[in-house]
Amino acid sequence: VTHVAWGAAFDGSMAFATGGTDGRVKLWNAKRVKCLWTSPATNALDACIKVAIDIAHGIVVAAFRSGAIVVWSSFASFLAKEDIETIVPAPLEMKLPANDDVTQATPSRPSTSTADREITELYIHSATSGLLTVLSAYKNSPYFQCHFVDVGSGSVTSSCFADGTHSPLRSIYPVFAASTGEGSFVFTGDKLGWINVFSVGPAPSDRTQMITPMRRFEAHEDGAVTAIAWNSVVLVTCSSRGTVKIWDSLSQSLLRTFSFPASRPAGNSESDITCQILLEQDAVVVLMGSQVMAWKAGPVGTREKTGGKAKKPRSSTSGNIAKWHRKSSNEYIESHLV
């Protein structure tokens, strides 16, 4: 088993999907731990490396080592039955176009080896209109791609996103629209320590058009951006050298910087330590290697241990930002280590 994805629907039904080195994808009933469906064997040498699942809309998506992405749909009616043993008939299968936009060399884009078509990130989002967004990022590539799939008709359009510097992506964090009228956007962190913010929408008519970020700023000077998390109050980033920074979610102004007490790589080498960020409204938890650090936003008191008066930090947010946002940001500025 190479990857597992968990899913839950509003009616309480739960399932998970698994991908294996034999190239097969399996769908499981989570409550009974019963295998409901197994994808047909195509190429045992092409391992499945990423899976994603949307139980509410009955969709399973898998990415393979070759770079191929396959979408299976029409699972919803079967998953609603608690006593189902297997899924019959087979679900609808759709193979997405190859990632030629990512690997094809153009005057404004360097060539990428076919060995680097391996997908490192896979995210999906289903809209109420029936449009499925499949986002994928690739190994050692400065690009990520979005496929917009009309599950009903089977039509697919694709868009390629890049910042133009050709620096490989090290982290990606999508924020999909929660309701009609909202926009989706994606944060990416690259090897040079920069953060890019992309607006994600319907694919342009010109497929060769490269979509550039609507905002870009340098987040870390000490290494690549290895993890990103965001909510309506703050953006949190982590570097390969163990530095954690908290930014205002709207203005991207820096609120706090923490040095993570993790083992750091020698010289200019990149760290291979796994990094992950968990973010709630007023708390940040960062995992790096075998160590976990947590910070909780809140007032630090009126006096320091030295007896001096505590200075209230100056807010860097704009005056037209909502009061609740300024208050939450200031709490992060005044946060203390727990």
Side-chain angles (χ1 to χ4, degrees):
V1 175
T2 55
H3 196 233
V4 179
W6 179 274
F10 296 111
D11 61 359
S13 59
M14 293 178 288
F16 62 93
T18 58
T21 55
D22 60 355
R24 294 179 183 266
V25 178
K26 293 179 180 288
L27 181 64
W28 302 77
N29 181 305
K31 292 184 178 180
R32 301 177 58 190
V33 196
K34 178 74 175 180
C35 183
L36 303 177
W37 168 81
T38 302
S39 67
T42 53
N43 183 357
L45 298 179
D46 192 9
C48 175
I49 56 176
K50 291 286 182 180
V51 288
I53 185 171
D54 182 350
I55 293 300
H57 296 87
I59 294 174
V60 175
V61 180
F64 297 85
R65 192 174 301 281
S66 63
I69 299 177
V70 181
V71 176
W72 291 278
S73 60
S74 70
F75 284 115
S77 60
F78 299 101
L79 292 174
K81 302 176 182 178
E82 290 289 339
D83 58 346
I84 190 171
E85 294 294 331
T86 57
I87 292 180
V88 180
L92 300 176
E93 179 179 303
M94 182 187 310
K95 293 183 179 180
L96 301 186
N99 57 333
D100 294 333
D101 285 345
V102 176
T103 58
Q104 183 179 4
T106 66
S108 61
R109 181 185 315 166
S111 61
T112 304
S113 169
T114 54
D116 291 337
R117 290 192 179 190
E118 180 178 333
I119 294 175
T120 56
E121 301 288 347
L122 180 68
Y123 299 93
I124 64 174
H125 173 70
S126 298
T128 55
S129 60
L131 186 67
L132 172 69
T133 302
V134 181
L135 186 154
S136 54
Y138 303 85
K139 181 180 180 181
N140 298 328
S141 173
Y143 315 103
F144 71 92
Q145 197 170 38
C146 281
H147 295 286
F148 302 94
V149 184
D150 189 320
V151 178
S153 65
S155 63
V156 181
T157 56
S158 304
S159 296
C160 193
F161 300 78
D163 62 18
T165 65
H166 311 309
S167 177
L169 299 181
R170 292 294 302 274
S171 55
I172 189 167
Y173 188 89
V175 181
F176 294 111
S179 60
T180 304
E182 293 184 354
S184 299
F185 53 96
V186 175
F187 292 98
T188 64
D190 63 23
K191 188 176 181 179
L192 298 178
W194 286 72
I195 292 287
N196 301 286
V197 187
F198 295 87
S199 176
V200 177
S205 56
D206 182 6
R207 286 193 60 189
T208 63
Q209 178 183 350
M210 186 73 67
I211 300 177
T212 56
M214 59 182 179
R215 183 155 193 179
R216 172 176 167 81
F217 64 96
E218 186 175 19
H220 294 274
E221 298 178 351
D222 60 345
V225 180
T226 54
I228 302 172
W230 178 92
N231 64 18
S232 60
V233 178
V234 293
L235 168 70
V236 184
T237 61
C238 183
S239 77
S240 59
R241 294 298 185 107
T243 301
V244 178
K245 292 187 177 183
I246 299 180
W247 312 80
D248 185 279
S249 66
L250 299 183
S251 65
Q252 278 85 60
S253 57
L254 183 62
L255 301 179
R256 287 295 299 268
T257 300
F258 300 101
S259 294
F260 200 96
S263 299
R264 300 188 178 188
N268 295 323
S269 61
E270 292 291 345
S271 171
D272 293 326
I273 299 176
T274 301
C275 184
Q276 185 176 1
I277 302 173
L278 303 178
L279 178 61
E280 295 294 338
Q281 187 74 10
D282 60 350
V284 179
V285 179
V286 179
L287 164 68
M288 181 171 284
S290 60
Q291 299 186 11
V292 178
M293 294 291 288
W295 295 272
K296 183 175 177 62
V300 296
T302 57
R303 292 181 179 273
E304 302 290 348
K305 292 182 178 180
T306 57
K309 293 184 178 180
K311 295 183 179 179
K312 187 175 181 180
R314 182 182 302 172
S315 174
S316 59
T317 56
S318 174
N320 60 356
I321 295 178
K323 291 183 178 179
W324 68 267
H325 189 277
R326 292 202 303 269
K327 178 178 181 297
S328 300
S329 297
N330 286 336
E331 286 180 349
Y332 266 97
I333 296 175
E334 297 175 342
S335 63
H336 60 278
L337 182 65
V338 297

